Amino acid sequence: MTHPIWIWQYEQWPHFCWNDSNIITLLARVRQKQGQLLGLMSSMGFDTQNLNALEVMTEDVLHNAEIEGQLLNPNHVRSSVARHLGIDTAGMPEADHYTEGVVEVMMDAVKNAGAPLTEKRLFNWHAALFPTGRSGMTTITVAAWRKESEPMQIVSGAIGKEQVHYEAPPSECLPKEMEQFLQWINTEQSIDPVLKAAIAHLWFVNIHPFDDGNGRLTRTITDMLLARADGMSHRFYSMSSVILRNKKEYYEILEYIGKHGLDITPWLIWFLETLEDAITTAHARVQRILKKTLFWQKHVSTPLNERQVKIINRMWDGMEGKLNTSKWAKMTHTSTATALRDIQDLVQKGLLCDSGEGGRNTNYILQEE
């Protein structure tokens, strides 16, 4: 018998193995940070939780698509997510039909995280991603397992110099492969729920059951299982955002595992480190939201004009660059004299202070204490 080339060709597939001692400390640290983040979130009011979920879930939809090179309209995604969360969409553009479908996939995965993942549910998700039955100009099989184009390969490089990164199981094997996968997803195991999300991610992407959209649906399934692990119907951290930042490493680790047997320890380490990064980023965001809430509670009776409220909120939400009179004037479409009066008023009222950096132009920062 020839030596297996691809992970699914090993006799023990899909019985993955890993070294517990290599991941146990990392897993414990991730679970601790996860608990701390969820504890912080539970201390927030419902409206604040919703606004935070709006930002994270908008990012997640955008970045999940962008990993595959698809750029969605951020305003349309935000509008659709807001509508699904019951947030006022006044002033937001109405989302197009396609964006609504993409957002509905993520919402179904997260809000109904505890529901079984069935063949029909996956097919519905796939149909929402490809409502025209095409991927670009190519007609594909939609809402059904792939049937043709054997072998299904992930290839890069010019014609005649192609490099095969991965070859998926033949289409004739897919009904049995997916039946086994879905049964495992819907069955309680003694395995930690976060590890289950990591294994499901790797398992599904290696089956590659659809003509297109496998990566996006892989990460949707991951979000669903992480929502189960969190016990929350909102997402407060985004794996897809971190994966997008490390896209090259992401594809490299998947390719490595796809060619090196059933010991998936390197993948679990990569997944947990990525998840930790996502949670750490989210923790910083939540801390900023809490500080912003306390800041406005402190200054609830402070008389401010619309320009001042706008710029202060922009600063809290991560405004790029430093604030000075010329930048204020540009952002508010006023004169530098008006900008200076606005800023000096905020300094006098204790909302802004000199950054102390010196130089020709005075820069200002929020007075948080």
Side-chain angles (χ1 to χ4, degrees):
M1 182 178 175
T2 58
H3 184 72
I5 299 174
W6 311 111
I7 190 171
W8 52 269
Q9 293 176 325
Y10 283 79
E11 187 177 348
Q12 295 302 312
W13 163 266
H15 300 291
F16 306 105
C17 62
W18 57 89
N19 189 328
D20 276 328
S21 63
N22 287 5
I23 66 168
I24 191 167
T25 301
L26 178 57
L27 177 61
R29 191 168 71 232
V30 167
R31 291 299 256 163
Q32 181 184 28
K33 290 185 176 181
Q34 195 178 28
Q36 290 170 343
L37 175 63
L38 297 178
L40 260 180
M41 291 309 308
S42 64
S43 70
M44 291 180 164
F46 178 77
D47 289 342
T48 306
Q49 283 188 21
N50 254 6
L51 289 173
N52 185 59
L54 171 61
E55 298 302 323
V56 172
M57 295 169 89
T58 298
E59 282 183 12
D60 208 48
V61 171
L62 289 169
H63 294 161
N64 189 13
E66 191 175 349
I67 292 167
E68 308 299 331
Q70 182 187 28
L71 300 179
L72 300 175
N73 184 309
N75 293 325
H76 286 189
V77 173
R78 183 181 176 85
S79 173
S80 179
V81 173
R83 187 178 65 80
H84 281 280
L85 291 176
I87 295 172
D88 183 13
T89 58
M92 296 184 187
E94 187 174 344
D96 60 273
H97 182 71
Y98 177 74
T99 300
E100 280 287 351
V102 173
V103 170
E104 282 176 6
V105 170
M106 194 263 275
M107 286 295 175
D108 179 56
V110 172
K111 287 201 165 188
N112 302 311
L117 182 62
T118 62
E119 183 178 282
K120 182 180 179 182
R121 195 176 179 195
L122 269 176
F123 288 171
N124 287 341
W125 291 356
H126 193 249
L129 295 186
F130 301 98
T132 66
R134 292 176 176 270
S135 174
M137 296 181 65
T138 305
T139 301
I140 63 170
T141 300
V142 175
W145 310 134
R146 55 181 163 84
K147 297 180 176 64
E148 302 171 358
S149 303
E150 303 287 16
M152 164 62 84
Q153 293 179 329
I154 299 174
V155 180
S156 67
I159 296 175
K161 297 182 179 179
E162 298 95 342
Q163 179 183 355
V164 178
H165 298 281
Y166 181 69
E167 182 177 313
S171 58
E172 64 188 29
C173 301
L174 294 178
K176 181 180 177 182
E177 291 283 352
M178 287 306 300
E179 181 183 4
Q180 192 172 12
F181 173 78
L182 292 173
Q183 183 180 8
W184 179 83
I185 286 284
N186 297 317
T187 303
E188 291 288 333
Q189 289 103 13
S190 57
I191 188 173
D192 184 281
V194 167
L195 289 186
K196 183 166 184 172
I199 294 166
H201 190 120
L202 182 73
W203 190 347
F204 184 87
V205 82
N206 275 285
I207 296 174
H208 231 69
F210 294 109
D211 274 346
D212 199 358
N214 295 287
R216 280 169 283 175
L217 291 179
T218 294
R219 292 182 291 275
T220 300
I221 292 169
T222 303
D223 273 341
M224 182 191 78
L225 292 175
L226 288 174
R228 281 187 193 176
D230 293 341
M232 306 285 279
S233 61
H234 289 168
R235 303 306 299 129
F236 297 124
Y237 54 88
S238 170
M239 280 282 286
S240 290
S241 297
V242 184
I243 289 173
L244 179 62
R245 291 203 305 267
N246 302 292
K247 187 165 75 168
K248 184 172 180 288
E249 289 179 14
Y250 175 59
Y251 287 131
E252 285 175 348
I253 188 66
L254 288 177
E255 180 177 355
Y256 175 84
I257 297 296
K259 295 177 178 177
H260 288 82
L262 297 168
D263 184 343
I264 62 171
T265 306
W267 162 253
L268 294 181
I269 292 172
W270 192 91
F271 184 95
L272 290 170
E273 288 176 344
T274 301
L275 179 56
E276 182 177 30
D277 191 348
I279 293 171
T280 300
T281 300
H283 197 277
R285 182 204 299 266
V286 173
Q287 291 281 23
R288 189 174 71 246
I289 290 172
L290 285 172
K291 286 183 179 180
K292 179 181 177 181
T293 301
L294 292 172
F295 178 89
W296 282 122
Q297 286 175 352
K298 178 180 177 182
H299 295 288
V300 65
S301 300
T302 305
L304 302 172
N305 62 45
E306 288 185 11
R307 296 185 302 274
Q308 291 171 320
V309 173
K310 173 185 174 182
I311 300 300
I312 292 294
N313 277 326
R314 286 285 296 274
M315 293 177 77
W316 273 113
D317 295 338
M319 181 180 72
E320 293 184 8
K322 298 174 181 178
L323 178 68
N324 51 41
T325 52
S326 59
K327 186 167 186 175
W328 184 290
K330 185 177 180 180
M331 292 174 67
T332 58
H333 307 290
T334 56
S335 67
T336 53
T338 299
L340 182 60
R341 283 196 299 273
D342 281 346
I343 291 173
Q344 287 176 337
D345 181 56
L346 289 173
V347 170
Q348 184 179 6
K349 291 174 178 175
L351 281 80
L352 292 182
C353 62
D354 187 333
S355 67
E357 295 172 325
R360 188 173 61 181
N361 295 319
T362 303
N363 296 315
Y364 298 91
I365 59 174
L366 292 165
Q367 180 72 55
E368 297 183 33
E369 297 299 328

